[in-house]
Amino acid sequence: MPQKILLVEDDDSICTVVTATLESFGYQVDSCDNGETRNMFLNTNTYNAMITDVILKDSDGISALADIKKQYPNMPFIIISAQNSLDTAVRASEVDAFEYFPKPFDLDELVNAVKQCCKKESVDSQFDESFDEKNMPIIGRSPAMQDVFRMVVRLLNNDLSVMVLGESGSGKELVAEAIHNLGHRKTGPFIAVNMAAIPSELIESELFGHEKGAFTGAVAQSIGKFEQAQGGTLFLDEIGDMPMHAQTRLLRALQTGAINRVGGKANIKLDVRIVAATNQNLEELIEANKFREDLYYRLNVVPISLPPLRDRRDDIPRLVKHFLAQAPNEGLPLKNIDDKALKIMETLPWRGNVRELKNFIMRLVVTCRTDIISDEAVSALAENSATVIPNIQSFTIEEAIENYMTENWKQLSAHGDIYSELLTKFEKPLLKYVMLKSKNNQLKASAILGINRNTLRKKLQDIQSHGKN
């Protein structure tokens, strides 16, 4: 007897492909595109699993799932959605979804999830509240951010240590806040401490506290960050900058689940979740004897890698509009932005990632005199912004290539084809820089570059195409 799957999807092409794929694996599939027919199928058949879209022709798929779950508690379901936000991932978990797949999804992953659905019951519910998307701490609908969202959701109902990896400004603290604010520790405190901002000689006192008279200047007892975070989450930012003597003490605290204040003898039991973050390569620090390997494994139980903004350019328009909507909270006027301006912003390098983008938007709001921010305003500010457009006179092409080769030599030499990769690597920023300087005038840009206009157009189309893939 084949296992039966109910597919609820109003996109005919997706419905056809998913049905054919599942049937090729031996499943029997019933499909429909609306809530009324879905309910009829459920009332007259028994299904091993259900796959459903979020937005249907006659209803909100997620809203109906709470009632369906009560009526058919042993039927796991998988949610697929083009509404790819953290809010959707959270709502999917709220209604006890076995898995959530943002569109476009990988068919192999979907089939594997169906197989798992047919073997066991769905996972425990992880939420007791719903969340409005406008209050979500992280924004992004790119595939890379969907992976982050799904990992965050899986961490909400446990206390596993998390290591958030990513470049400066990519939103590592926002991920830590999301794990805390959406999880079972949300009623406790969230305490963030930046290792790079604390003098080495004070770091143990800052983390673990100290007793009166423990050292010169300790005129009173002090409660450290660990005790302040009791019942909640302690976020250790820039963990790669922690000095070795403090690493040893931190490792002991994680091993024993207790701390001693500096100068104190009493053991203080801990009830704290640890989320650490760094923009450094900790494995290289371990090789250089600058970071303890045993501490690394204690902290890096579940890693989350945040993509740089340049690797998720499709998210830039939505981030821009989000930051513009936040401007009144900063005492600034509410402004809009035109499509041409957004297109330019998608091409900028954003070396400072989301943090740089936000600062750039705030400067635009302050400097732009019109209610709608134009492409001319974006280009003008970009040309005058050292953080966005580098001074190309400050380094030579030879130095740039040498720096890139030095930083990436291991991976470049491992797979070969360095010649074509370097050409690709340096051609894109060159074209984007010239297009910015020429204010997106392809005729002018092609003259500056000394190439045919049709050649330039094709190269720009290739860049845009690869950016979407």
Side-chain angles (χ1 to χ4, degrees), residues 66-85:
D67 292 333
I68 292 173
K69 184 64 182 175
K70 291 178 182 177
Q71 194 171 356
Y72 308 97
N74 295 324
M75 181 188 68
F77 53 86
I78 297 168
I79 291 176
I80 54 178
S81 174
Q83 309 297 315
N84 302 338
S85 67

Side-chain angles (χ1 to χ4, degrees), residues 233-251:
T233 302
L234 179 61
F235 176 54
L236 302 175
D237 198 8
E238 304 298 349
I239 192 69
D241 290 308
M242 176 179 265
M244 289 295 285
H245 65 86
Q247 291 180 34
T248 301
R249 188 155 185 163
L250 173 59
L251 177 63

Side-chain angles (χ1 to χ4, degrees), residues 83-98:
Q83 309 297 315
N84 302 338
S85 67
L86 179 56
D87 177 61
T88 307
V90 170
R91 292 182 67 206
S93 185
E94 284 182 323
V95 294
D96 224 359
F98 183 88

